[in-house]
Amino acid sequence: SEDDVAKAQSFIKSLDKNGNGTLDRAEIKGYPLDADFDAIDADRNGALDARELATFKTRNPGAGGGQGGPPPGDARGNAPPQ
């Protein structure tokens, strides 16, 4: 639905480090969503767009750790020191 796409756009915006409107592997590295990258990337262009995320979430509601969630670390998603 368009509501799902809007939610996916908001999610992308929160992680989109280069501001191109999509998520690439580097931007979601360490997030639960990373494990599902290939399944979500329907057009195989190496980037996840809002429609792909919304479609995947609708078909697989338990996959990807919900909306992806931050990796282990603080509330802002900063990973703990290695």
Side-chain angles (χ1 to χ4, degrees), residues 3-80:
D3 185 49
D4 292 332
V5 172
K7 287 177 186 176
Q9 286 171 331
S10 177
F11 175 69
I12 287 171
K13 197 172 197 177
S14 72
L15 296 177
D16 185 15
K17 294 175 184 155
N18 64 10
N20 69 352
T22 63
L23 297 175
D24 60 38
R25 281 192 188 273
E27 291 171 322
I28 64 168
K29 184 176 171 87
Y31 287 78
L33 194 57
D34 189 18
D36 295 314
F37 191 95
D38 290 329
I40 300 168
D41 187 18
D43 61 9
R44 303 288 183 247
N45 69 348
L48 307 180
D49 63 39
R51 191 147 310 274
E52 287 173 324
L53 284 171
T55 299
F56 184 79
K57 184 73 176 156
T58 298
R59 293 180 181 163
N60 306 278
Q67 282 289 341
D74 67 24
R76 292 177 300 175
N78 294 319

